[in-house]
Amino acid sequence: MKILDILKKEELTKEDLLALMKIDNQEDLQLLFKKAYETKLKYIGNNVYYRGLVEFSNICIKNCKYCGIRKENSHVERFLMSEEDILQSAKWIYENDYGSMALQSGERTDKEFVDFVEKILKKIQKMTNNGLGITLSVGEQTYETYKRWREAGATRYLLRIETTNRDLFEKIHPKDETHNFDKRLQALKELRRAGYQVGTGVMIGIPGQTEEDLVNDIIFFKENDIDMIGMGPYILHDETPMGQEFKNNILSKEKRVELGLKMIAICRIYLKDINIAATTALQGLDPEGREKGLLAGANIIMPSATKTSERVKYQLYNGKPAINDDAEQGKKSLEKSLKNIGENIVYGKTGDSPHFFSRKK
Ligand code: 5AD
Ligand code: SF4
């Protein structure tokens, strides 16, 4: 079947999704992006919502083989932002009308950390009169912890499954109890039960990952009724096992960006009203990656609001962008480039997932 005919269908089968994922020429690719953008216009409008990103600690108990801040990387200078600095970032995000913020860090499950996050959430909500949407992205926790943080004011939680191919998951993580595929699945269910808008996502272009794997990822998002998606291309980091193993054996940057954009577009077409982020990793491989992501159907941008001095230490992969920009400068240049591509930045609204509320009705 022709790509155009697939794009006209109301319901897409797995074979359709695979045909879209395997598009190998510019003409069909543009048709795919166009259809995805039309779908975005229909369900979301030409609107883009911000989540001011605060990467508040790079301390992590895990050892994911792809990640630059994995526990065993002794070259990383570890930090935890002070309560005062986090609150100041939150204030900046609030006063600049970003509407939402994302608190992200390495994974820790100790009591001190759990209490710290809870206290921060309460203070942010008090300071802003419950005026900020807050996304947490701090890894796998107990159900009790999810509940406590939900009650303290977090409304969304992002926990990536990284890949839904169990074998591949096991290849890119150490084989032990802290890196367990079933536990990750369970965590996503518990987050839903705790009342969050639930986000997940995958890395794209992992060595060994097939186009069918990526299609299965998208079907997984649908089957699990996911509200938001954050995904991006896999990028090497020198000081990691995978960074070493695959440094001469990885898809080109262009191919990974293209696959990333295809993922966004097919997710938009297939899942319709969910929030999809154009992530920093996309920008990491292509200076215009985020803009291209929006034109392929994404509607969320996460501009960094972390202090410049700490940003340098939060290196998940080589060449992470904008580590030297400050938040103020970043805001201006982003605004300009988004206007250039015809996107409407929605200030002052939380930009919750429409999908979450359509389920609630
Ligand atoms: N390349 C791309 N994304 C990465 N992440 C971690 N390491 C890398 C990398 N080398 C992503 C993972 C994780 C999130 C915090 O960052 O998907 O969930
Ligand atoms: Fe830690 Fe997340 Fe990096 Fe894994 S991906 S090592 S959990 S920060």
Side-chain angles (χ1 to χ4, degrees), residues 5-65:
D5 293 326
I6 295 176
L7 292 173
K8 280 184 190 146
K9 290 171 72 171
E10 273 305 312
E11 298 282 330
L12 297 181
T13 63
K14 181 169 172 182
E15 284 65 39
D16 295 332
L17 297 175
L18 198 54
L20 297 177
M21 195 65 76
K22 288 190 167 171
I23 289 177
D24 62 357
N25 65 84
Q26 278 304 316
E27 204 176 315
D28 285 341
L29 200 56
Q30 293 315 315
L31 287 175
L32 176 72
F33 295 158
K34 183 161 167 275
K35 172 74 183 188
Y37 197 77
E38 282 165 13
T39 311
K40 169 170 140 175
L41 288 182
K42 182 167 168 194
Y43 289 92
I44 316 257
N46 66 331
N47 295 321
V48 44
Y49 296 87
Y50 281 174
R51 279 82 177 93
L53 176 62
V54 181
E55 291 160 326
F56 66 95
S57 172
N58 62 357
I59 303 171
C60 187
I61 58 169
K62 282 199 167 156
N63 242 329
C64 308
K65 292 184 190 169

Short mmCIF file of all heavy atoms in Angstrom, two decimals, residues 5-65:
data_model
loop_
_atom_site.label_atom_id
_atom_site.label_comp_id
_atom_site.label_asym_id
_atom_site.label_seq_id
_atom_site.Cartn_x
_atom_site.Cartn_y
_atom_site.Cartn_z
N ASP A 5 -2.02 6.29 1.19
CA ASP A 5 -3.24 5.51 1.50
C ASP A 5 -3.28 5.10 2.97
O ASP A 5 -4.33 5.10 3.60
CB ASP A 5 -3.32 4.27 0.60
CG ASP A 5 -3.54 4.68 -0.86
OD1 ASP A 5 -4.24 5.70 -1.06
OD2 ASP A 5 -3.01 4.01 -1.76
N ILE A 6 -2.13 4.75 3.50
CA ILE A 6 -2.07 4.41 4.93
C ILE A 6 -2.47 5.63 5.76
O ILE A 6 -3.25 5.53 6.71
CB ILE A 6 -0.65 3.93 5.33
CG1 ILE A 6 -0.31 2.63 4.62
CG2 ILE A 6 -0.55 3.77 6.85
CD1 ILE A 6 1.10 2.12 4.88
N LEU A 7 -1.95 6.78 5.37
CA LEU A 7 -2.21 8.00 6.15
C LEU A 7 -3.66 8.43 6.10
O LEU A 7 -4.12 9.22 6.92
CB LEU A 7 -1.29 9.13 5.68
CG LEU A 7 0.21 8.93 6.00
CD1 LEU A 7 1.06 10.01 5.36
CD2 LEU A 7 0.45 8.88 7.51
N LYS A 8 -4.41 7.91 5.12
CA LYS A 8 -5.84 8.27 5.02
C LYS A 8 -6.70 7.41 5.92
O LYS A 8 -7.87 7.71 6.14
CB LYS A 8 -6.31 8.10 3.57
CG LYS A 8 -5.92 9.27 2.68
CD LYS A 8 -6.50 9.08 1.28
CE LYS A 8 -5.93 10.11 0.33
NZ LYS A 8 -5.75 9.56 -1.03
N LYS A 9 -6.15 6.31 6.40
CA LYS A 9 -6.96 5.37 7.19
C LYS A 9 -7.30 5.92 8.58
O LYS A 9 -6.51 6.65 9.17
CB LYS A 9 -6.20 4.04 7.34
CG LYS A 9 -6.11 3.25 6.06
CD LYS A 9 -5.17 2.07 6.20
CE LYS A 9 -5.77 0.96 7.06
NZ LYS A 9 -4.94 -0.26 7.00
N GLU A 10 -8.46 5.54 9.09
CA GLU A 10 -8.86 5.94 10.45
C GLU A 10 -8.09 5.13 11.50
O GLU A 10 -7.61 5.67 12.48
CB GLU A 10 -10.37 5.71 10.64
CG GLU A 10 -11.25 6.87 10.21
CD GLU A 10 -10.88 8.19 10.90
OE1 GLU A 10 -10.71 8.17 12.13
OE2 GLU A 10 -10.75 9.20 10.19
N GLU A 11 -8.05 3.81 11.28
CA GLU A 11 -7.39 2.92 12.25
C GLU A 11 -6.16 2.31 11.60
O GLU A 11 -6.25 1.73 10.52
CB GLU A 11 -8.35 1.77 12.64
CG GLU A 11 -9.63 2.21 13.32
CD GLU A 11 -9.40 2.56 14.79
OE1 GLU A 11 -8.48 1.96 15.39
OE2 GLU A 11 -10.13 3.42 15.29
N LEU A 12 -5.05 2.40 12.27
CA LEU A 12 -3.83 1.83 11.72
C LEU A 12 -3.52 0.47 12.36
O LEU A 12 -3.65 0.30 13.57
CB LEU A 12 -2.65 2.78 11.96
CG LEU A 12 -2.75 4.16 11.29
CD1 LEU A 12 -1.51 4.99 11.60
CD2 LEU A 12 -2.92 4.02 9.78
N THR A 13 -3.12 -0.47 11.52
CA THR A 13 -2.71 -1.78 12.03
C THR A 13 -1.20 -1.75 12.33
O THR A 13 -0.51 -0.79 11.97
CB THR A 13 -2.93 -2.87 10.96
OG1 THR A 13 -2.07 -2.55 9.84
CG2 THR A 13 -4.37 -2.91 10.49
N LYS A 14 -0.74 -2.82 12.94
CA LYS A 14 0.70 -2.90 13.21
C LYS A 14 1.51 -2.85 11.91
O LYS A 14 2.56 -2.20 11.85
CB LYS A 14 1.01 -4.19 13.98
CG LYS A 14 2.48 -4.30 14.31
CD LYS A 14 2.81 -5.41 15.29
CE LYS A 14 4.33 -5.52 15.36
NZ LYS A 14 4.80 -6.58 16.23
N GLU A 15 0.99 -3.49 10.87
CA GLU A 15 1.69 -3.48 9.58
C GLU A 15 1.78 -2.05 9.04
O GLU A 15 2.80 -1.64 8.48
CB GLU A 15 0.99 -4.37 8.55
CG GLU A 15 1.19 -5.85 8.74
CD GLU A 15 0.58 -6.38 10.04
OE1 GLU A 15 -0.52 -5.92 10.41
OE2 GLU A 15 1.22 -7.23 10.68
N ASP A 16 0.68 -1.30 9.20
CA ASP A 16 0.70 0.11 8.77
C ASP A 16 1.79 0.89 9.51
O ASP A 16 2.55 1.65 8.91
CB ASP A 16 -0.66 0.78 9.05
CG ASP A 16 -1.79 0.16 8.24
OD1 ASP A 16 -1.51 -0.36 7.14
OD2 ASP A 16 -2.95 0.20 8.71
N LEU A 17 1.81 0.70 10.83
CA LEU A 17 2.79 1.44 11.64
C LEU A 17 4.21 1.10 11.20
O LEU A 17 5.08 1.97 11.09
CB LEU A 17 2.62 1.11 13.13
CG LEU A 17 1.28 1.50 13.76
CD1 LEU A 17 1.19 1.00 15.20
CD2 LEU A 17 1.07 3.01 13.73
N LEU A 18 4.42 -0.17 10.90
CA LEU A 18 5.75 -0.60 10.48
C LEU A 18 6.12 0.00 9.13
O LEU A 18 7.26 0.43 8.92
CB LEU A 18 5.79 -2.13 10.43
CG LEU A 18 7.17 -2.77 10.42
CD1 LEU A 18 8.02 -2.29 11.60
CD2 LEU A 18 7.06 -4.30 10.46
N ALA A 19 5.14 0.08 8.23
CA ALA A 19 5.41 0.68 6.92
C ALA A 19 5.79 2.16 7.09
O ALA A 19 6.71 2.65 6.42
CB ALA A 19 4.18 0.54 6.01
N LEU A 20 5.11 2.83 8.01
CA LEU A 20 5.45 4.25 8.26
C LEU A 20 6.86 4.36 8.85
O LEU A 20 7.64 5.23 8.47
CB LEU A 20 4.43 4.89 9.21
CG LEU A 20 2.98 4.96 8.70
CD1 LEU A 20 2.05 5.55 9.76
CD2 LEU A 20 2.89 5.79 7.41
N MET A 21 7.17 3.46 9.78
CA MET A 21 8.48 3.51 10.42
C MET A 21 9.60 3.24 9.41
O MET A 21 10.72 3.71 9.57
CB MET A 21 8.54 2.47 11.56
CG MET A 21 9.69 2.65 12.52
SD MET A 21 9.58 4.18 13.45
CE MET A 21 8.31 3.75 14.62
N LYS A 22 9.27 2.47 8.38
CA LYS A 22 10.31 2.09 7.41
C LYS A 22 10.41 3.04 6.22
O LYS A 22 11.17 2.77 5.28
CB LYS A 22 10.04 0.67 6.91
CG LYS A 22 10.34 -0.38 7.97
CD LYS A 22 10.32 -1.78 7.40
CE LYS A 22 10.94 -2.74 8.40
NZ LYS A 22 10.79 -4.14 8.03
N ILE A 23 9.64 4.13 6.24
CA ILE A 23 9.72 5.09 5.14
C ILE A 23 11.18 5.44 4.87
O ILE A 23 11.93 5.73 5.80
CB ILE A 23 8.94 6.39 5.49
CG1 ILE A 23 7.43 6.12 5.47
CG2 ILE A 23 9.30 7.51 4.53
CD1 ILE A 23 6.59 7.32 5.89
N ASP A 24 11.55 5.40 3.58
CA ASP A 24 12.98 5.59 3.27
C ASP A 24 13.21 6.66 2.22
O ASP A 24 14.27 6.73 1.62
CB ASP A 24 13.59 4.27 2.81
CG ASP A 24 12.92 3.76 1.54
OD1 ASP A 24 11.95 4.42 1.08
OD2 ASP A 24 13.35 2.73 1.01
N ASN A 25 12.17 7.50 1.97
CA ASN A 25 12.40 8.58 1.01
C ASN A 25 11.78 9.87 1.52
O ASN A 25 10.82 9.86 2.29
CB ASN A 25 11.84 8.19 -0.36
CG ASN A 25 10.33 8.06 -0.31
OD1 ASN A 25 9.60 9.05 -0.42
ND2 ASN A 25 9.83 6.84 -0.11
N GLN A 26 12.38 10.98 1.10
CA GLN A 26 12.00 12.31 1.60
C GLN A 26 10.54 12.65 1.33
O GLN A 26 9.86 13.24 2.16
CB GLN A 26 12.89 13.39 0.96
CG GLN A 26 14.22 13.54 1.67
CD GLN A 26 14.05 13.82 3.17
OE1 GLN A 26 13.21 14.63 3.59
NE2 GLN A 26 14.84 13.14 4.00
N GLU A 27 10.07 12.23 0.18
CA GLU A 27 8.70 12.59 -0.21
C GLU A 27 7.68 12.01 0.78
O GLU A 27 6.83 12.72 1.32
CB GLU A 27 8.44 12.01 -1.60
CG GLU A 27 7.37 12.70 -2.38
CD GLU A 27 7.30 12.07 -3.77
OE1 GLU A 27 8.38 11.84 -4.38
OE2 GLU A 27 6.18 11.77 -4.20
N ASP A 28 7.82 10.72 1.06
CA ASP A 28 6.90 10.07 2.00
C ASP A 28 7.10 10.60 3.42
O ASP A 28 6.14 10.74 4.19
CB ASP A 28 7.10 8.55 1.98
CG ASP A 28 6.49 7.93 0.72
OD1 ASP A 28 5.64 8.59 0.09
OD2 ASP A 28 6.87 6.79 0.38
N LEU A 29 8.35 10.88 3.74
CA LEU A 29 8.65 11.40 5.08
C LEU A 29 7.91 12.73 5.29
O LEU A 29 7.31 12.96 6.35
CB LEU A 29 10.17 11.61 5.19
CG LEU A 29 10.76 11.69 6.59
CD1 LEU A 29 10.40 10.45 7.40
CD2 LEU A 29 12.28 11.83 6.50
N GLN A 30 7.92 13.58 4.28
CA GLN A 30 7.23 14.87 4.41
C GLN A 30 5.72 14.66 4.53
O GLN A 30 5.04 15.38 5.27
CB GLN A 30 7.56 15.80 3.22
CG GLN A 30 9.03 16.28 3.19
CD GLN A 30 9.54 16.74 4.55
OE1 GLN A 30 8.86 17.48 5.27
NE2 GLN A 30 10.75 16.29 4.95
N LEU A 31 5.19 13.66 3.82
CA LEU A 31 3.76 13.35 3.95
C LEU A 31 3.43 12.93 5.39
O LEU A 31 2.42 13.33 5.97
CB LEU A 31 3.37 12.20 3.00
CG LEU A 31 3.30 12.52 1.51
CD1 LEU A 31 3.01 11.24 0.72
CD2 LEU A 31 2.23 13.58 1.23
N LEU A 32 4.33 12.12 5.96
CA LEU A 32 4.14 11.65 7.34
C LEU A 32 4.13 12.83 8.31
O LEU A 32 3.22 12.95 9.15
CB LEU A 32 5.26 10.67 7.70
CG LEU A 32 5.27 10.17 9.15
CD1 LEU A 32 4.12 9.19 9.40
CD2 LEU A 32 6.60 9.49 9.50
N PHE A 33 5.11 13.71 8.17
CA PHE A 33 5.20 14.86 9.09
C PHE A 33 3.99 15.78 8.91
O PHE A 33 3.48 16.34 9.88
CB PHE A 33 6.51 15.64 8.87
CG PHE A 33 7.75 14.85 9.21
CD1 PHE A 33 8.99 15.18 8.67
CD2 PHE A 33 7.70 13.76 10.08
CE1 PHE A 33 10.14 14.46 8.98
CE2 PHE A 33 8.84 13.03 10.41
CZ PHE A 33 10.06 13.39 9.85
N LYS A 34 3.55 15.92 7.69
CA LYS A 34 2.41 16.81 7.42
C LYS A 34 1.15 16.27 8.10
O LYS A 34 0.41 17.00 8.75
CB LYS A 34 2.22 16.90 5.90
CG LYS A 34 1.12 17.83 5.46
CD LYS A 34 1.30 18.23 3.99
CE LYS A 34 0.05 18.89 3.46
NZ LYS A 34 -0.96 17.92 2.96
N LYS A 35 0.95 14.97 7.94
CA LYS A 35 -0.22 14.34 8.57
C LYS A 35 -0.15 14.47 10.10
O LYS A 35 -1.15 14.74 10.78
CB LYS A 35 -0.28 12.87 8.17
CG LYS A 35 -1.34 12.05 8.88
CD LYS A 35 -2.74 12.35 8.37
CE LYS A 35 -3.77 11.56 9.17
NZ LYS A 35 -5.10 11.64 8.62
N ALA A 36 1.05 14.29 10.64
CA ALA A 36 1.21 14.39 12.09
C ALA A 36 0.92 15.82 12.55
O ALA A 36 0.27 16.03 13.57
CB ALA A 36 2.64 13.99 12.48
N TYR A 37 1.40 16.80 11.80
CA TYR A 37 1.16 18.19 12.18
C TYR A 37 -0.33 18.52 12.10
O TYR A 37 -0.87 19.20 12.98
CB TYR A 37 1.99 19.14 11.31
CG TYR A 37 2.09 20.50 11.96
CD1 TYR A 37 2.96 20.72 13.03
CD2 TYR A 37 1.29 21.57 11.54
CE1 TYR A 37 3.03 21.96 13.66
CE2 TYR A 37 1.35 22.81 12.16
CZ TYR A 37 2.23 22.99 13.22
OH TYR A 37 2.29 24.21 13.85
N GLU A 38 -1.00 18.00 11.07
CA GLU A 38 -2.46 18.22 10.96
C GLU A 38 -3.19 17.61 12.16
O GLU A 38 -4.14 18.19 12.68
CB GLU A 38 -3.00 17.58 9.68
CG GLU A 38 -2.72 18.39 8.44
CD GLU A 38 -2.95 17.58 7.15
OE1 GLU A 38 -3.54 16.47 7.22
OE2 GLU A 38 -2.49 18.05 6.10
N THR A 39 -2.72 16.43 12.57
CA THR A 39 -3.35 15.77 13.72
C THR A 39 -3.14 16.60 14.98
O THR A 39 -4.04 16.77 15.80
CB THR A 39 -2.75 14.36 13.91
OG1 THR A 39 -2.77 13.68 12.66
CG2 THR A 39 -3.55 13.56 14.94
N LYS A 40 -1.93 17.16 15.11
CA LYS A 40 -1.66 18.02 16.24
C LYS A 40 -2.57 19.25 16.21
O LYS A 40 -3.16 19.63 17.23
CB LYS A 40 -0.19 18.44 16.23
CG LYS A 40 0.15 19.56 17.20
CD LYS A 40 1.65 19.76 17.31
CE LYS A 40 1.99 21.24 17.37
NZ LYS A 40 3.42 21.48 17.59
N LEU A 41 -2.73 19.86 15.03
CA LEU A 41 -3.60 21.04 14.92
C LEU A 41 -5.02 20.70 15.36
O LEU A 41 -5.68 21.47 16.05
CB LEU A 41 -3.63 21.57 13.48
CG LEU A 41 -2.36 22.27 13.00
CD1 LEU A 41 -2.53 22.78 11.57
CD2 LEU A 41 -1.98 23.43 13.92
N LYS A 42 -5.47 19.52 14.97
CA LYS A 42 -6.84 19.11 15.30
C LYS A 42 -7.05 18.92 16.80
O LYS A 42 -8.06 19.33 17.35
CB LYS A 42 -7.16 17.81 14.55
CG LYS A 42 -8.56 17.32 14.78
CD LYS A 42 -8.92 16.22 13.79
CE LYS A 42 -10.19 15.53 14.21
NZ LYS A 42 -10.39 14.27 13.49
N TYR A 43 -6.09 18.30 17.47
CA TYR A 43 -6.30 17.93 18.88
C TYR A 43 -5.70 18.93 19.88
O TYR A 43 -6.15 19.03 21.00
CB TYR A 43 -5.73 16.54 19.16
CG TYR A 43 -6.56 15.45 18.51
CD1 TYR A 43 -6.26 15.00 17.23
CD2 TYR A 43 -7.69 14.93 19.16
CE1 TYR A 43 -7.05 14.02 16.63
CE2 TYR A 43 -8.47 13.97 18.56
CZ TYR A 43 -8.14 13.52 17.29
OH TYR A 43 -8.93 12.58 16.68
N ILE A 44 -4.66 19.64 19.46
CA ILE A 44 -3.92 20.50 20.40
C ILE A 44 -3.85 21.94 19.89
O ILE A 44 -3.69 22.87 20.67
CB ILE A 44 -2.46 19.98 20.58
CG1 ILE A 44 -2.41 18.46 20.74
CG2 ILE A 44 -1.72 20.75 21.65
CD1 ILE A 44 -2.20 17.92 22.12
N GLY A 45 -3.94 22.12 18.58
CA GLY A 45 -3.67 23.44 17.99
C GLY A 45 -2.19 23.60 17.73
O GLY A 45 -1.41 22.70 17.99
N ASN A 46 -1.81 24.80 17.23
CA ASN A 46 -0.37 25.02 16.98
C ASN A 46 0.30 25.49 18.25
O ASN A 46 1.16 26.37 18.25
CB ASN A 46 -0.16 26.01 15.83
CG ASN A 46 -0.64 27.41 16.17
OD1 ASN A 46 -1.56 27.56 16.97
ND2 ASN A 46 -0.04 28.41 15.57
N ASN A 47 -0.09 24.89 19.36
CA ASN A 47 0.35 25.35 20.66
C ASN A 47 1.53 24.55 21.19
O ASN A 47 1.58 23.34 21.04
CB ASN A 47 -0.78 25.24 21.67
CG ASN A 47 -1.93 26.16 21.32
OD1 ASN A 47 -1.70 27.29 20.87
ND2 ASN A 47 -3.16 25.69 21.47
N VAL A 48 2.45 25.26 21.80
CA VAL A 48 3.54 24.57 22.49
C VAL A 48 3.55 25.02 23.94
O VAL A 48 3.37 26.20 24.25
CB VAL A 48 4.90 24.76 21.76
CG1 VAL A 48 5.11 26.18 21.33
CG2 VAL A 48 6.06 24.30 22.62
N TYR A 49 3.68 24.05 24.83
CA TYR A 49 3.71 24.32 26.27
C TYR A 49 5.11 24.08 26.80
O TYR A 49 5.81 23.17 26.35
CB TYR A 49 2.72 23.39 26.99
CG TYR A 49 1.28 23.63 26.61
CD1 TYR A 49 0.72 22.98 25.51
CD2 TYR A 49 0.50 24.53 27.33
CE1 TYR A 49 -0.60 23.21 25.14
CE2 TYR A 49 -0.82 24.76 26.97
CZ TYR A 49 -1.36 24.10 25.88
OH TYR A 49 -2.66 24.34 25.51
N TYR A 50 5.49 24.89 27.76
CA TYR A 50 6.81 24.76 28.37
C TYR A 50 6.76 24.00 29.69
O TYR A 50 5.79 24.12 30.43
CB TYR A 50 7.36 26.15 28.71
CG TYR A 50 7.93 26.94 27.56
CD1 TYR A 50 8.34 28.26 27.76
CD2 TYR A 50 8.09 26.41 26.29
CE1 TYR A 50 8.89 29.02 26.74
CE2 TYR A 50 8.63 27.16 25.26
CZ TYR A 50 9.02 28.47 25.49
OH TYR A 50 9.57 29.22 24.50
N ARG A 51 7.81 23.25 29.97
CA ARG A 51 8.07 22.77 31.32
C ARG A 51 9.48 23.23 31.67
O ARG A 51 10.45 22.75 31.07
CB ARG A 51 8.07 21.23 31.39
CG ARG A 51 6.69 20.58 31.48
CD ARG A 51 6.09 20.47 30.11
NE ARG A 51 4.80 19.79 30.08
CZ ARG A 51 3.62 20.41 30.15
NH1 ARG A 51 3.54 21.71 30.28
NH2 ARG A 51 2.50 19.70 30.09
N GLY A 52 9.59 24.16 32.58
CA GLY A 52 10.91 24.61 33.00
C GLY A 52 11.62 23.47 33.70
O GLY A 52 11.12 22.92 34.68
N LEU A 53 12.77 23.08 33.16
CA LEU A 53 13.43 21.88 33.65
C LEU A 53 14.49 22.19 34.71
O LEU A 53 15.39 22.99 34.47
CB LEU A 53 14.09 21.15 32.46
CG LEU A 53 14.91 19.90 32.77
CD1 LEU A 53 14.05 18.82 33.40
CD2 LEU A 53 15.57 19.38 31.50
N VAL A 54 14.35 21.57 35.85
CA VAL A 54 15.35 21.72 36.90
C VAL A 54 15.97 20.35 37.20
O VAL A 54 15.32 19.47 37.75
CB VAL A 54 14.74 22.31 38.19
CG1 VAL A 54 15.81 22.48 39.27
CG2 VAL A 54 14.09 23.65 37.89
N GLU A 55 17.19 20.17 36.75
CA GLU A 55 17.93 18.92 37.00
C GLU A 55 18.67 19.12 38.31
O GLU A 55 19.76 19.66 38.34
CB GLU A 55 18.87 18.66 35.83
CG GLU A 55 18.09 18.30 34.56
CD GLU A 55 18.88 18.50 33.27
OE1 GLU A 55 19.70 19.42 33.19
OE2 GLU A 55 18.66 17.73 32.32
N PHE A 56 18.02 18.71 39.41
CA PHE A 56 18.48 19.19 40.71
C PHE A 56 19.53 18.30 41.39
O PHE A 56 20.14 18.70 42.38
CB PHE A 56 17.30 19.45 41.66
CG PHE A 56 16.52 18.22 42.06
CD1 PHE A 56 16.81 17.54 43.24
CD2 PHE A 56 15.48 17.75 41.26
CE1 PHE A 56 16.10 16.42 43.61
CE2 PHE A 56 14.76 16.62 41.63
CZ PHE A 56 15.07 15.95 42.80
N SER A 57 19.75 17.11 40.86
CA SER A 57 20.83 16.28 41.41
C SER A 57 21.27 15.21 40.41
O SER A 57 20.44 14.63 39.71
CB SER A 57 20.38 15.59 42.70
OG SER A 57 21.37 14.66 43.11
N ASN A 58 22.58 14.97 40.36
CA ASN A 58 23.08 13.91 39.48
C ASN A 58 23.55 12.69 40.28
O ASN A 58 24.27 11.86 39.78
CB ASN A 58 24.21 14.44 38.59
CG ASN A 58 25.41 14.89 39.41
OD1 ASN A 58 25.37 14.85 40.63
ND2 ASN A 58 26.47 15.32 38.75
N ILE A 59 23.13 12.64 41.54
CA ILE A 59 23.48 11.47 42.35
C ILE A 59 22.51 10.35 41.98
O ILE A 59 21.30 10.56 41.93
CB ILE A 59 23.38 11.79 43.86
CG1 ILE A 59 24.29 12.98 44.19
CG2 ILE A 59 23.73 10.56 44.71
CD1 ILE A 59 24.12 13.52 45.60
N CYS A 60 23.04 9.16 41.70
CA CYS A 60 22.17 8.08 41.23
C CYS A 60 22.64 6.73 41.76
O CYS A 60 23.83 6.44 41.77
CB CYS A 60 22.15 8.06 39.70
SG CYS A 60 20.94 6.89 39.07
N ILE A 61 21.66 5.91 42.17
CA ILE A 61 22.00 4.59 42.69
C ILE A 61 22.05 3.54 41.57
O ILE A 61 22.38 2.39 41.81
CB ILE A 61 20.99 4.11 43.77
CG1 ILE A 61 19.57 4.08 43.21
CG2 ILE A 61 21.07 5.00 45.00
CD1 ILE A 61 18.56 3.37 44.13
N LYS A 62 21.71 3.95 40.34
CA LYS A 62 21.65 2.96 39.26
C LYS A 62 22.88 3.02 38.36
O LYS A 62 23.69 3.94 38.45
CB LYS A 62 20.38 3.17 38.45
CG LYS A 62 19.16 2.59 39.18
CD LYS A 62 18.02 2.37 38.23
CE LYS A 62 16.97 1.52 38.93
NZ LYS A 62 15.65 1.73 38.36
N ASN A 63 22.95 2.05 37.49
CA ASN A 63 24.14 1.86 36.68
C ASN A 63 23.80 1.56 35.22
O ASN A 63 24.44 0.71 34.59
CB ASN A 63 24.92 0.69 37.26
CG ASN A 63 26.29 1.13 37.74
OD1 ASN A 63 26.86 2.07 37.17
ND2 ASN A 63 26.80 0.47 38.75
N CYS A 64 22.78 2.25 34.71
CA CYS A 64 22.35 2.02 33.33
C CYS A 64 23.57 2.16 32.41
O CYS A 64 24.34 3.11 32.55
CB CYS A 64 21.27 3.02 32.96
SG CYS A 64 19.92 3.03 34.17
N LYS A 65 23.72 1.21 31.49
CA LYS A 65 24.99 1.14 30.74
C LYS A 65 25.17 2.26 29.72
O LYS A 65 26.23 2.39 29.12
CB LYS A 65 25.09 -0.21 30.02
CG LYS A 65 25.26 -1.40 30.96
CD LYS A 65 25.44 -2.66 30.12
CE LYS A 65 25.37 -3.93 30.95
NZ LYS A 65 25.28 -5.12 30.07
#
